[in-house]
Amino acid sequence: MSSGSVQTLPLQLFLREDFPQLLQTLKQLGYQTLGPVLSQGAIQWKAITTPEDFPIDWKDQQEPGSYRLEPDPSPRYFNIVHGPESLKPLTFAPRETLLVLDHQNNTFSAKDIQPDTTPTAILGVRACDLAGLGIQDQIFLHGTYPDPYYQQRRENLFLIAVNCTRAHATCFCASMETGPKAQQGFDLSLTEADEDFLIEAGSVKGLKVLDQLTSSIASEERIKEDEERIGACAASQTRSLPKANLPAALYEAHDHPRWDHVAARCLSCTNCTMVCPTCFCHGVEETPSLDFQQSEHTRVWDSCFTPDHGYIHGKNFRPTTKDRYRMWLTHKLAAWIDQFGTSGCVGCGRCIAWCPVGIDLTEEVQALSQPPL
Amino acid sequence: MSESNKSPIRKRPRVAVVKFASCDGCQLSILNLEDDLLALGAAIDIAYFPEASSDMQAGPYDIAFVEGSITCPEDLPRVLELRQQTTTLITIGACATSGGIQALRNWSDIEAFKRAVYPNPEYIQSLSTSTPISEHVTVDYELWGCPIDKQQLLGVLTDLLQGVKPHIPRHSVCLDCKRQGHVCVLVAKGLPCLGPVTRTGCGAICPSMGRDCYGCFGPAEHDSARPPGVPPNTASLAQQFHQHLQLIPVEMVRRFRGINGSVQPFQEESHAWESK
């Protein structure tokens, strides 16, 4: 049983034909429901109102620098593992106005802009994304100054995890010990088969929803069968990160010639940091009106790969791509451990698939862990 | 803030909008600032803008927006004169900033064009190259794009009116694609998108329509000194186009030799593939 479980019922079997009950129950409880929806050649979190909104008959193929959807005759709703978006844009908004400043009589007033706080249920959250959310919670909620914008969105989420039974060439959650089974942080979790789902509650909120559904006690054989499918998914993963060697391996590699090798390929385009479920860098923009009577104070996603990120007082102290890639990888996989007590990587593989030139951080870490040739 | 309250009547800066060889699209972007035109008229004194008004006043100007590239002999004294008359000179658009699409002539024989088009080519006074304004006079700020982004122009003007140094972002288009939630057309569709090496500012218009960026905002982080190891890494992106998207060398030359083909990083990349 998973560590985050508040299960008081044995694992339940929930039939595919009863799935609309889940959508109805969530609706009755006042949740808007988001799930994986085909969009622009991938999947994105969009409104789900009926089971037909799911990307049935499709699966994704992910390779370094490549993401493709292809037809797949399957009745499953969660056949596509994931798209470019983790949960990050739903809690840490890519662009949001925090304050509007008004200039009045020699001074100014600031008006807080509150985020939309509609309770939102998300169907199809993967174990790696839950792990990523846990890391972002630590950054935005558990420090000295909790972020109210993040907090309001976060508290309104109802998370329905789906355990992975299919891994991509880019996946390495097993080596990061974050998946393929959702371990904690979900309200409900599902393991999908063609005819039915195993369903489990991970919170009191989840249990209330589960109580509304028509389900039956799952057989021992069925539970074992699903554990085996999840285990096979973990075993099928070909990439891994040597967790035991980190952080030391990267600190010791500071002057390794491999950094020049990867810098010759890296575009400094920021895509890896944008799709990363844990990258949290942001900038603040001030947009005044032409008459300077009003200004919008806006927070935007930023990246350690931009020229502005390392620019301080007339000088960019990370001018080259090599400086930036080394900064990113060393922070993500090494300094993060010292800073937050966990790795900054959850093994989702998005930075590999969505890198326009297919740079693979697991390959880079492996090369950096070897003595220079 | 208290300063401006003590002196509410601030002198409106005299602004000129000047054209060289160009299509006028960037000037139209200014006129397309419909919601802000009245406020703009109140904030600045438009002294010279033939596209908008027949009242064309002589300099000096506090700010000049310059559209178009240098393509004719008579452009040269004009641009020098304008520079002498102007405190802050800002190029608007690809033509003024990099030479524009007409800089494709830099790889061709202009005399052959003249003979092919005109019955009396001897009347045509034209330089053999199209060059950016910065090749002839000092430019204070550059706004890229074909056309420019009108909100970026408004932002620069707002900053200048308040005595703030304008900040024009130099990072890649990708960051804004992701901020806006567009799925990457290169990774998900295999389109040869120049976004990773192209400067932001357009609002990621082409990828938002499912199309690949063709670099109309010029190279990201472009620095004429070209320090080694500093983006844009056109060579790596081109390798990816060639090896994984099967673009052949002549397609690569066309890819980089477009609206900003004359600007150094793109020019070097097209030359590298021309010899393959």
Side-chain angles (χ1 to χ4, degrees):
Chain A
M1 192 120 307
S2 71
S3 56
S5 174
V6 293
Q7 186 82 34
T8 54
L9 297 168
L11 268 173
Q12 299 288 300
L13 194 69
F14 179 47
L15 297 179
R16 179 171 301 279
E17 64 194 50
D18 293 327
F19 194 84
Q21 288 179 6
L22 176 58
L23 298 178
Q24 284 152 15
T25 305
L26 292 168
K27 193 178 172 187
Q28 280 159 12
L29 291 170
Y31 289 103
Q32 62 167 339
T33 43
L34 303 182
V37 172
L38 290 178
S39 171
Q40 304 173 54
I43 49 166
Q44 294 188 294
W45 301 117
K46 290 186 185 286
I48 293 268
T49 51
T50 76
E52 287 76 45
D53 293 330
F54 286 102
I56 304 162
D57 292 340
W58 291 93
K59 69 175 177 184
D60 51 339
Q61 289 298 350
Q62 301 189 34
E63 300 282 342
S66 171
Y67 184 102
R68 291 290 183 280
L69 294 178
E70 51 187 59
D72 183 54
S74 159
R76 296 187 190 183
Y77 300 144
F78 303 102
N79 213 21
I80 294 177
V81 176
H82 55 32
E85 292 172 354
S86 62
L87 292 171
K88 184 165 83 173
L90 303 176
T91 45
F92 168 33
R95 170 179 287 276
E96 69 179 322
T97 298
L98 308 178
L99 298 170
V100 173
L101 305 169
D102 267 305
H103 184 191
Q104 300 157 328
N105 309 323
N106 237 4
T107 181
F108 66 87
S109 64
K111 188 174 74 180
D112 276 346
I113 305 296
Q114 298 297 325
D116 175 20
T117 52
T118 311
T120 303
I122 306 172
L123 296 114
V125 179
R126 302 294 169 167
C128 53
D129 293 336
L130 285 174
L133 186 68
I135 290 172
Q136 289 236 316
D137 283 353
Q138 201 179 3
I139 292 155
F140 285 104
L141 301 180
H142 302 154
T144 314
Y145 303 103
D147 185 275
Y149 301 87
Y150 182 97
Q151 189 166 26
Q152 289 192 39
R153 290 197 185 86
R154 178 70 178 92
E155 284 169 357
N156 280 289
L157 292 186
F158 183 95
L159 299 169
I160 302 170
V162 172
N163 295 317
C164 289
T165 51
R166 193 167 75 86
H168 288 296
T170 49
C171 293
F172 57 102
C173 62
S175 81
M176 301 311 291
E177 296 164 19
T178 57
K181 186 177 166 69
Q183 292 156 10
Q184 56 188 345
F186 56 84
D187 296 298
L188 286 174
S189 98
L190 302 168
T191 311
E192 187 179 29
D194 283 354
E195 301 297 323
D196 46 34
F197 300 85
L198 278 190
I199 188 164
E200 178 185 9
S203 70
V204 175
K205 275 194 300 186
L207 203 55
K208 278 185 188 155
V209 173
L210 184 53
D211 277 343
Q212 305 288 310
L213 308 178
T214 308
S215 63
S216 58
I217 296 171
S219 69
E220 284 299 322
E221 298 82 65
R222 175 54 199 274
I223 294 169
K224 188 162 170 281
E225 193 184 300
D226 274 9
E227 289 296 338
E228 281 169 9
R229 288 163 62 219
I230 295 166
C233 171
S236 74
Q237 294 181 11
T238 52
R239 284 182 162 79
S240 66
L241 270 184
K243 250 189 133 176
N245 300 352
L246 297 166
L250 284 178
Y251 290 147
E252 286 160 16
H254 186 268
D255 299 317
H256 202 292
R258 182 72 184 190
W259 298 115
D260 293 307
H261 184 271
V262 69
R265 295 179 64 207
C266 176
L267 304 171
S268 227
C269 65
T270 78
N271 275 303
C272 50
T273 56
M274 295 294 103
V275 296
C276 179
T278 71
C279 276
F280 56 89
C281 280
H282 49 266
V284 175
E285 291 177 356
E286 202 61 49
T287 312
S289 61
L290 196 58
D291 60 6
F292 244 55
Q293 294 306 297
Q294 198 175 65
S295 188
E296 283 190 12
H297 190 73
T298 304
R299 176 164 70 185
V300 291
W301 282 0
D302 199 1
S303 167
C304 50
F305 284 92
T306 69
D308 291 336
H309 194 276
Y311 185 89
I312 289 182
H313 204 73
K315 180 93 181 151
N316 186 351
F317 57 87
R318 282 192 297 275
T320 66
T321 299
K322 175 183 167 179
D323 299 327
R324 298 179 202 171
Y325 191 87
R326 182 169 57 193
M327 158 75 194
W328 176 68
L329 199 72
T330 308
H331 183 223
K332 179 74 45 189
L333 302 179
W336 204 297
I337 299 172
D338 298 334
Q339 193 178 2
F340 299 111
T342 66
S343 174
C345 176
V346 297
C348 71
R350 285 190 178 88
C351 62
I352 307 173
W354 296 96
C355 171
V357 294
I359 294 172
D360 172 2
L361 85 169
T362 67
E363 186 188 334
E364 297 310 315
V365 170
Q366 201 170 28
L368 288 160
S369 305
Q370 306 296 322
L373 293 173
Chain B
M1 217 159 271
S2 56
E3 280 293 291
S4 66
N5 277 352
K6 278 177 201 159
S7 51
I9 305 163
R10 196 181 55 234
K11 188 176 159 286
R12 294 186 306 159
R14 300 190 81 225
V15 175
V17 182
V18 181
K19 171 193 161 69
F20 289 90
S22 58
C23 77
D24 291 31
C26 293
Q27 297 185 69
L28 281 174
S29 296
I30 301 175
L31 293 174
N32 284 343
L33 279 164
E34 285 140 0
D35 295 343
D36 301 292
L37 277 181
L38 288 177
L40 202 59
I44 61 174
D45 171 14
I46 300 171
Y48 181 92
F49 189 1
E51 176 106 357
S53 167
S54 54
D55 176 19
M56 294 177 273
Q57 300 163 26
Y61 310 112
D62 296 301
I63 300 169
F65 290 107
V66 183
E67 184 195 76
S69 66
I70 303 301
T71 58
C72 302
E74 62 264 35
D75 290 344
L76 296 165
R78 264 184 73 213
V79 74
L80 290 174
E81 165 75 13
L82 178 69
R83 177 68 266 189
Q84 285 162 0
Q85 294 285 327
T86 302
T87 307
T88 303
L89 190 150
I90 305 168
T91 59
I92 53 171
C95 301
T97 310
S98 81
I101 192 74
Q102 61 270 29
L104 288 176
R105 73 163 67 168
N106 301 359
W107 285 274
S108 306
D109 178 7
I110 187 80
E111 296 306 318
F113 286 160
K114 282 193 217 166
R115 286 194 301 274
V117 174
Y118 298 101
N120 297 97
E122 64 274 17
Y123 294 130
I124 305 297
Q125 296 287 312
S126 200
L127 299 170
S128 62
T129 57
S130 167
T131 47
I133 302 300
S134 63
E135 209 161 302
H136 305 277
V137 296
T138 301
V139 171
D140 298 297
Y141 298 101
E142 292 177 333
L143 289 175
W144 293 78
C146 182
I148 54 161
D149 177 78
K150 59 186 184 180
Q151 292 304 329
Q152 196 170 60
L153 179 131
L154 198 61
V156 165
L157 198 53
T158 306
D159 287 343
L160 288 174
L161 288 171
Q162 299 301 328
V164 175
K165 186 181 173 190
H167 177 66
I168 305 165
R170 301 186 299 141
H171 60 75
S172 75
V173 175
C174 301
L175 177 55
D176 288 291
C177 246
K178 288 290 190 290
R179 282 173 178 168
Q180 293 177 36
H182 306 314
V183 173
C184 179
V185 298
L186 200 167
V187 171
K189 293 183 178 170
L191 297 177
C193 183
L194 287 179
V197 296
T198 297
R199 184 180 190 134
T200 192
C202 62
I205 299 172
C206 293
S208 78
M209 300 291 163
R211 297 292 298 269
D212 41 328
C213 166
Y214 52 86
C216 84
F217 266 68
E221 294 192 45
H222 174 48
D223 177 337
S224 52
R226 287 290 269 156
V230 173
N233 189 349
T234 52
S236 174
L237 186 65
Q239 264 310 319
Q240 185 75 4
F241 289 173
H242 182 55
Q243 287 177 356
H244 295 270
L245 310 184
Q246 280 81 47
L247 260 64
I248 56 173
V250 66
E251 291 174 305
M252 211 76 76
V253 172
R254 288 191 200 125
R255 200 74 203 130
F256 286 95
R257 193 173 294 166
I259 286 167
N260 288 296
S262 276
V263 71
Q264 210 177 6
F266 289 177
Q267 186 182 77
E268 285 170 7
E269 204 50 47
S270 74
H271 285 169
W273 288 89
E274 204 159 37
S275 56
K276 286 185 188 180

